[in-house]
Amino acid sequence: QVTLKESGPALVKPTQTLTLTCTFSGFSLSTNGMRVSWVRQPPGKALEWLARIDWDDDKFYSTSLKTRLTISKDTSKNQVVLTMTNMDPVDTATYYCVRIAPTGTTGWYDYWGQGTQVTVSS
Amino acid sequence: ETVTTQYPGTLSVSPGERATLSCRASQSVSSKVAWYQQKPGQAPRLLIYGASTRATGFPARFSGSGSGTEFTLTISSLQSEDFAVYYCQQYSNWPWTFGQGTKVEIK
């Protein structure tokens, strides 16, 4: 059974750095073909892809946020960590950790975490 | 970047009626489109992948079609539990992109 769960602060101040942790089970990120992404959703708005990390440690970032994002993994702990620097109120959103379906050449997100709501305010 | 556009933004439908949601990609994405259902306060849930393959747990009243740049999600007879926001996503061209969503509301 695949599960993902996000954790991190609910409130951060402008200019601070946000660190979110995704703890997952039911698969290993050291397995060939496994990939995990972060997706966010501002209140009442659409989904926005942020970053992706693959089993071979390849990393990909949203072009518009690339300078602010870092994604990493700890396969021994089954965790993926996302950091976002210089937080702004426009970054207020629910942040989701998602797994990319591992079978063949896929790109759909087959499992989602419950999401963690982050508010940026002084 | 491939722009993914959904229309309409809101669809008002009576229970039992058919709902047709559209998704357009700014360039060909073959059949590499997924659809997600999101209910209030919940995470999105995979509904369709490969443009037409239903994910586990969704009934046959949900169907997807299309290829190239035009895609459709059809709900043949809306049930109360189907009122939600639906997102399409293309995974053909990097970066993969989501549409802005279609809200299906009760008429």
Side-chain angles (χ1 to χ4, degrees), chain A residues 35 39 41 45-49 52 60-61 63 96 100 105-110 112-115, chain B residues 1 32 34 36 38 41-46 48-50 87 89 91 94-96 98-101:
Chain A
R35 298 167 289 178
V39 172
Q41 185 174 38
K45 295 190 177 180
L47 303 165
E48 178 186 19
W49 173 77
R52 178 184 124 191
F60 305 85
Y61 297 101
T63 302
Y96 294 102
I100 299 166
T105 52
T106 71
W108 61 87
Y109 304 112
D110 61 351
W112 294 66
Q114 64 190 25
Chain B
E1 177 173 306
K32 295 186 176 183
Y36 302 87
Q38 186 177 34
Q42 297 183 17
R45 183 181 167 198
L46 177 67
I48 297 278
Y49 59 92
Y87 292 94
Q89 175 226 345
Y91 52 92
W94 190 256
W96 304 332
F98 291 100
Q100 77 275 28

Side-chain angles (χ1 to χ4, degrees), chain B residues 27-39:
Chain B
Q27 56 188 291
S28 179
V29 295
S30 185
S31 295
K32 295 186 176 183
V33 164
W35 291 88
Y36 302 87
Q37 179 192 66
Q38 186 177 34
K39 296 182 180 180

Side-chain angles (χ1 to χ4, degrees), chain A residues 22 28 33 52 55 57 63-64 69-70 74-75 100 102 109:
Chain A
C22 171
S28 172
R52 178 184 124 191
W55 78 100
D57 213 36
T63 302
S64 61
L69 295 173
T70 302
D74 185 333
T75 52
I100 299 166
Y109 304 112

Side-chain angles (χ1 to χ4, degrees), chain B residues 1-91:
Chain B
E1 177 173 306
T2 300
V3 177
T4 309
T5 304
Q6 292 185 244
Y7 54 96
T10 302
L11 191 59
S12 298
V13 185
S14 299
E17 289 189 341
R18 182 186 196 91
T20 303
L21 291 68
S22 297
C23 174
R24 174 182 292 157
S26 61
Q27 56 188 291
S28 179
V29 295
S30 185
S31 295
K32 295 186 176 183
V33 164
W35 291 88
Y36 302 87
Q37 179 192 66
Q38 186 177 34
K39 296 182 180 180
Q42 297 183 17
R45 183 181 167 198
L46 177 67
L47 168 59
I48 297 278
Y49 59 92
S52 60
T53 302
R54 238 178 4 260
T56 303
F58 282 95
R61 64 178 180 271
F62 291 92
S63 63
S65 63
S67 66
T69 62
E70 294 286 346
F71 300 87
T72 301
L73 173 68
T74 302
I75 311 171
S76 60
S77 176
L78 270 159
Q79 305 298 303
S80 58
E81 62 266 30
D82 302 334
F83 291 96
V85 179
Y86 293 83
Y87 292 94
C88 65
Q89 175 226 345
Q90 67 82 19
Y91 52 92

